[in-house]
Amino acid sequence: MDKREQFLADVAPEDHHAALLVAQVGAMPTELQLVIDVARYDETVDGLRPMRSYIVRVVGVVEHQITGLGTTTSDVRLLTKHPLLYQYTDEAAALFFRGQPDDANALALDIAQAHASTFGPWRHFPEYLNPAQPLLTLLTSGGGLLGQMPRSLADACQPVLERHGLETKLMLDGSQASRAEGPLREQQLQVLLLGYAYFISYAFAFDEVGKA
């Protein structure tokens, strides 16, 4: 079993926990090195028993968020599909509208709910919406650019605008991932989640501490 498979097997059971102990810049400015301890919950002692420690190299970091250093979590996943990746893997969308809603406040609330249903806790409202003016001002302006956003959010917002009586127009462009060059074109963008800490990259390398 290679070290990636071993790591994923170690963190898979519900009673296994991981803690991000160190996150530092690696050999290159675009590389992060993570030290992650994995432990198993032992009911007999009502505590965690250490299993293994890993060094994970995040090669060519696209985006990251470091939280909860030293705090254990049972939610550790390496994924190719996740709301955090929409920004990079979705088509880029510009969503326009025209008209006046009967109730701009209700429309703003529905847009916020569409945003939350698309991204959950991973992207915060009003990210991707037009920052040039407050949302209520925009919605009562008669029309304009609602925002530049991943296609998933546009697909959630477009029917909301139309239910409130507005005309819409959607303009699409290729995803960021589709414009990757060189060997990255052959790889899938992935996100490594450790609780609410995350690391987005095309390449992760796993090694066990103290093992060849």
Side-chain angles (χ1 to χ4, degrees), residues 63 77-85 122 188-193 197-201 204:
E63 182 186 348
R77 294 173 284 162
L78 182 62
L79 304 171
T80 56
K81 294 182 179 180
H82 188 272
L84 283 168
L85 299 179
W122 299 104
Q188 281 190 295
L189 195 62
Q190 301 172 83
V191 58
L192 175 63
L193 302 173
Y198 64 81
F199 304 87
I200 298 174
S201 177
F204 295 84

Side-chain angles (χ1 to χ4, degrees), residues 17-51:
H17 299 257
L20 176 62
L21 301 183
V22 176
Q24 62 187 16
V25 176
M28 300 179 65
T30 57
E31 177 185 312
L32 284 176
Q33 289 187 352
L34 316 177
V35 177
I36 302 172
D37 275 0
V38 180
R40 175 180 59 83
Y41 178 71
D42 187 342
E43 291 184 352
T44 62
V45 297
D46 192 23
L48 296 174
R49 291 193 180 277
M51 293 175 57

